[in-house]
Amino acid sequence: MGTALIYDEEMTNYKLLWVDPACKIEVPERLTVSYEALVKSGLADRCVSLPVREATDADILLVHSEEYLEAVKKTPYMTLEDLMDFCSQYGDVYFHPNIYHCAKLAAGSALQLVDSVMMGKVRNGMALVRPPGHHSMRNAASGFCVFNNVAIAAQYAKQKYAVERILIVDWDIHHGQGVQDCFEDDPRVLYFSWHRYEHQKFWPNLRDSDFDRVGNEKGAGFNVNVPWNKVGMKNSDYLSVFCHLFLPVAYEFCPDLVLVCAGFDSAIGDPEGEMCATPDIFAHLTHLLMNLAGGKLCAVLEGGYNLTSLPQSVCQTVQTLLGDPAPRPANLDGPCLSALESLHCVRSAHKKYWSCLKHAADLPTCEVSTKRNKVGEEEINEEQSKQEPVWRECPKTLPPDISAAALLPDDGICPERCYSLKSSEDLDPSIVNKLKEHILKDTEDCETLSTLSRLTVLIDKMEKNEIGSGLALVKDISKAVICVVQHAAAAPMNRVLVVYVGDGVVPFHTNEDGKTLVVQFTTQKSEEIQSKYLIPVCLQKDYSDIPGFIQATLSLLLPLGYEYDPSLVVVVQTSGCGLSHNVWQQLIGLLRGLAQGHTLVLMQEDQNAYVGPTASSLLGDPAPPLGPLEAPLPENVESTEKLRLRLKADWNFLLTTGNVK
Ligand SMILES: COCC(O)(O)CCCCCNCCCN
Ligand SMILES: [Zn+2]
């Protein structure tokens, strides 16, 4: 299934008609540069183009009041003076004779996305719209917004498709207080928002945007606010919030539909956000949401005012929705202190609502984040924001011709859409000799020799990005792992993340050069940690604790993987680990966000039941939903938490609070 793209130039046909410093950044060019970038990069042609439609009165009344709608209906006939007068009752928003028409198209575009995704015409999609929506309230326009496009889409999805649980992720740098107001007592809609806050000093300056606003009554716990109390937040800060808060809660909630308030003013260069995250981060944020709700994801444009970073961010989002692997994230150095304080506050505010956060540390004193930061840090940040930001545009990498290759025994059935690496591949004699020398020593077992040499061919093709990913069923998994790791780690710049699922001794030594990082899910209790590069994640009861496995994957394996930034991810499943197909597909799907999608899965020959599910995830198909998650086994939470606390000295991404000692 494809990716929908909704855009109509009619939505560029309104603009600010008078002088208003607060509104001058919201210009029609925001839409044209974004759409043109999608066309120029060839991404628009790969999408399913859907027409816009006007939201009806009934659609708009799902969120807004009659009197507000009636008032907006009068604006097309107003004189300039009347328009200016009409705006003066609202904050930081302007009207234009054509804005009502465009606002209906913007809301209608979001509904078109919901219809096409819910009816299975497309897997996911993006709508490039203006006016944006997440600030508009039931009775008021606000922050360039007229109708709340995403809130209307959520109510529409509940009403028309009886969707049980909807997740709204708002990565715009402003708080979508209109969305929060609409759903704060609704447990069917989980709202995530991060936003520049600076202890209420930043627009819209609301006390209700702080981390302790968790939702009301039945909706308590379903409103998650992450206030950024400093500017200059980077990719690491955003990824930390995803790994240690948004994703664990999202997986526990298990939405049937994901809506994204896709504002790109959270990217570097934006005059509003003044943050330092680069456009490629949106490929990762999108990717990390794509294994939720069976991939049903609707992204609707909100803010984004830097006409250089905005189109780059839009392209990163759309190419990921299309299934292209995310680019390797550049120099992630871990979350900053201010981000960790915010993360700590939000996690402790929500620990009573979400079992995945039950173990989260309490706040030393439950002060809200109005506490002043140390003055010294403030000055540094002020200084930082004065310079004109520059960033390296992410190099355009075309997806590999072959997305996934399968290396199976000769009688194995190659899954469709997979390229079969036949044993007929001419074996490079130098490789054969090296293998004989180092690994095969005694046995002249030519089948293993053939398998191992084909594995080295596969790795070389992945390195050249001719092949994206691979799966192999092998007779001797230990020999295969050794061969793969030695061959892959040999190249000077390479780093190999080995995710070992199953008991058994890891068949090679990780040395302190950091060329390999092994994370092993095992049911065996582990003694002390030998090295920061060999990490045993001990889970009781043969992986039947799915919430425990997911928790360890999201809050331990993923952060480690992002910080380690491997060039290749090798996932090894030793036989009899008994992981369900769905969990296995979630694991593969999430890990595919690393190493530019270069994932190599090695399984024992008798695991051919996993070949289909593995191939599907390597090809970028969304993993099936796991269902709402129960609480993880306490002993698994305890052991994972103990491990995290021990490792956080070596790995910054494992930090979740400000006390870094
Ligand atoms: C949903 O619209 C997207 C948005 O969140 O980006 C709107 C931001 C309104 C920002 C209003 N204050 C501007 C002050 C100018 N220095
Ligand atoms: Zn914004």
Side-chain angles (χ1 to χ4, degrees):
M1 279 201 290
T3 292
L5 176 62
I6 302 184
Y7 167 76
D8 191 299
E9 70 166 328
E10 175 56 17
M11 285 183 276
T12 66
N13 292 334
Y14 78 91
K15 64 184 180 182
L16 183 56
L17 296 173
W18 52 79
V19 174
D20 177 353
C23 294
K24 69 177 190 303
I25 52 175
E26 206 295 305
V27 295
E29 289 72 20
R30 296 178 53 235
L31 235 40
T32 36
V33 298
S34 300
Y35 183 66
E36 279 161 10
L38 288 172
V39 171
K40 203 160 131 268
S41 58
L43 290 169
D45 288 346
R46 293 172 56 195
C47 293
V48 176
S49 173
L50 290 182
V52 291
R53 79 172 194 235
E54 287 193 357
T56 64
D57 287 7
D59 298 329
I60 294 163
L61 293 172
L62 286 171
V63 167
H64 299 284
S65 66
E66 295 245 7
E67 51 274 15
Y68 176 64
L69 177 54
E70 289 318 308
V72 173
K73 279 184 175 179
K74 296 191 177 75
T75 54
Y77 316 103
M78 286 182 181
T79 63
L80 202 60
E81 285 68 25
D82 291 346
L83 280 172
M84 291 172 79
D85 186 45
F86 184 74
C87 299
S88 61
Q89 64 186 309
Y90 304 124
D92 286 17
V93 60
Y94 66 87
F95 275 77
H96 174 283
N98 196 36
I99 198 169
Y100 168 53
H101 179 216
C102 295
K104 284 187 286 182
L105 292 176
S109 301
L111 303 184
Q112 285 283 80
L113 275 186
V114 169
D115 281 339
S116 49
V117 163
M118 293 309 294
M119 289 197 271
K121 291 208 186 87
V122 294
R123 168 187 302 164
N124 55 36
M126 172 133 211
L128 293 178
V129 303
R130 63 187 279 275
H134 71 160
H135 296 302
S136 59
M137 322 287 279
R138 179 171 164 68
N139 285 307
S142 168
F144 315 149
C145 307
V146 177
F147 299 137
N148 202 316
N149 309 318
V150 169
I152 292 168
Q155 296 294 39
Y156 178 83
K158 281 161 61 182
Q159 182 191 70
K160 183 170 180 184
Y161 298 101
V163 176
E164 286 294 302
R165 293 182 302 278
I166 296 173
L167 168 63
I168 298 177
V169 180
D170 189 336
W171 66 48
D172 185 288
I173 206 59
H174 298 90
H175 181 220
Q177 87 280 21
V179 181
Q180 172 170 295
D181 277 18
C182 188
F183 300 112
E184 71 179 334
D185 54 13
D186 184 346
R188 288 175 63 184
V189 181
L190 170 59
Y191 179 53
F192 288 159
S193 172
W194 59 43
H195 32 271
R196 183 176 170 180
Y197 189 58
E198 290 175 300
H199 304 292
Q200 212 176 324
K201 275 184 356 208
F202 189 70
W203 190 92
N205 314 89
L206 298 174
R207 175 69 187 76
D208 284 345
S209 303
D210 213 345
F211 64 84
D212 58 339
R213 292 318 195 238
V214 296
N216 297 333
E217 286 143 35
K218 294 190 312 305
F222 295 92
N223 192 80
V224 183
N225 284 335
V226 179
W228 298 126
N229 289 314
K230 282 184 179 298
V231 292
M233 293 301 165
K234 304 196 296 191
N235 295 347
S236 297
D237 303 305
Y238 291 1
L239 283 173
S240 293
V241 164
F242 261 63
C243 292
H244 295 298
L245 177 66
F246 284 177
L247 291 177
V249 172
Y251 271 85
E252 183 170 334
F253 179 66
C254 189
D256 308 297
L257 175 64
V258 178
L259 304 178
V260 179
C261 286
F264 298 105
D265 43 14
S266 36
I268 191 166
D270 194 278
E272 278 294 297
E274 295 188 66
M275 298 297 168
C276 294
T278 47
D280 53 302
I281 196 61
F282 296 103
H284 290 280
L285 303 186
T286 304
H287 171 82
L288 289 170
L289 296 173
M290 280 171 69
N291 285 294
L292 292 164
K296 293 197 290 301
L297 189 155
C298 303
V300 182
L301 180 69
E302 293 280 359
Y305 308 97
N306 177 305
L307 302 184
T308 307
S309 65
L310 170 62
Q312 291 175 18
S313 304
V314 167
C315 288
Q316 289 291 327
T317 304
V318 172
Q319 84 185 20
T320 308
L321 289 173
L322 283 163
D324 290 5
R328 275 177 67 175
N331 51 43
L332 295 170
D333 48 6
C336 73
L337 186 55
S338 176
L340 286 168
E341 284 170 355
S342 297
L343 180 60
H344 181 179
C345 290
V346 189
R347 280 164 52 94
S348 66
H350 278 274
K351 65 186 283 186
K352 65 167 88 93
Y353 303 109
W354 300 99
S355 51
C356 62
L357 297 177
K358 205 164 30 200
H359 63 281
D362 286 316
L363 273 182
T365 54
C366 273
E367 77 239 43
V368 289
S369 72
T370 49
K371 70 181 187 307
R372 310 300 308 158
N373 276 312
K374 296 171 204 55
V375 174
E377 288 184 348
E378 211 110 74
E379 264 122 38
I380 296 168
N381 264 292
E382 288 312 308
E383 197 34 53
Q384 182 180 4
S385 62
K386 290 238 176 349
Q387 296 134 11
E388 195 48 43
V390 286
W391 66 95
R392 181 182 59 82
E393 182 175 359
C394 197
K396 298 248 172 302
T397 46
L398 289 175
D401 299 340
I402 298 168
S403 178
L407 196 159
L408 304 167
D410 290 345
D411 60 350
I413 315 278
C414 185
E416 92 252 25
R417 294 183 292 156
C418 269
Y419 170 80
S420 175
L421 255 178
K422 286 267 170 289
S423 53
S424 59
E425 302 275 335
D426 47 342
L427 303 184
D428 176 339
S430 68
I431 292 181
V432 171
N433 293 338
K434 222 169 30 162
L435 286 171
K436 274 189 177 160
E437 209 176 293
H438 292 297
I439 299 175
L440 293 177
K441 297 199 184 40
D442 44 6
T443 57
E444 267 309 300
D445 167 357
C446 57
E447 190 197 340
T448 303
L449 180 64
S450 154
T451 303
L452 297 188
S453 39
R454 279 189 287 156
L455 273 175
T456 55
V457 168
L458 175 52
I459 288 166
D460 292 342
K461 288 181 183 292
M462 285 168 78
E463 196 144 344
K464 287 178 274 186
N465 210 28
E466 290 167 16
I467 292 182
S469 60
L471 71 91
L473 285 188
V474 297
K475 202 163 55 170
D476 183 330
I477 204 127
S478 295
K479 284 200 175 66
V481 176
I482 293 167
C483 161
V484 163
V485 169
Q486 277 182 356
H487 190 76
M493 296 306 290
N494 282 5
R495 282 192 296 278
V496 184
L497 167 64
V498 182
V499 180
Y500 220 86
V501 181
D503 294 340
V505 177
V506 174
F508 60 92
H509 297 287
T510 55
N511 32 33
E512 290 313 293
D513 62 3
K515 297 284 283 177
T516 54
L517 166 63
V518 178
V519 177
Q520 178 177 18
F521 288 101
T522 172
T523 57
Q524 283 156 349
K525 275 231 169 296
S526 61
E527 59 292 336
E528 262 317 294
I529 300 206
Q530 300 88 338
S531 115
K532 78 176 249 188
Y533 294 110
L534 174 54
I535 298 171
V537 180
C538 174
L539 295 172
Q540 306 298 324
K541 296 198 182 149
D542 67 4
Y543 312 107
S544 59
D545 173 22
I546 290 178
F549 186 90
I550 293 296
Q551 179 69 18
T553 299
L554 296 175
S555 295
L556 229 156
L557 174 57
L558 265 188
L560 284 171
Y562 273 110
E563 181 160 357
Y564 185 63
D565 182 23
S567 50
L568 173 71
V569 177
V570 181
V571 190
V572 185
Q573 182 185 159
T574 59
S575 61
C577 85
L579 218 49
S580 78
H581 288 181
N582 291 356
V583 174
W584 178 249
Q585 285 185 268
Q586 288 289 346
L587 176 69
I588 304 286
L590 287 165
L591 287 172
R592 194 172 162 270
L594 301 170
Q596 204 182 331
H598 294 320
T599 315
L600 174 56
V601 178
L602 300 176
M603 295 181 285
Q604 211 89 38
E605 229 166 21
D606 60 357
Q607 302 287 341
N608 45 30
Y610 283 87
V611 169
T614 303
S616 156
S617 292
L618 291 178
L619 288 159
D621 297 349
L626 299 174
L629 295 181
E630 303 296 323
L633 271 184
E635 57 263 45
N636 284 339
V637 175
E638 196 186 312
S639 64
T640 309
E641 195 50 24
K642 217 164 67 186
L643 186 61
R644 191 184 65 77
L645 292 174
R646 234 181 317 169
L647 287 166
K648 69 189 175 90
D650 288 324
W651 300 95
N652 298 331
F653 264 78
L654 297 184
L655 292 166
T656 57
T657 67
N659 35 31
V660 294
K661 46 196 170 303

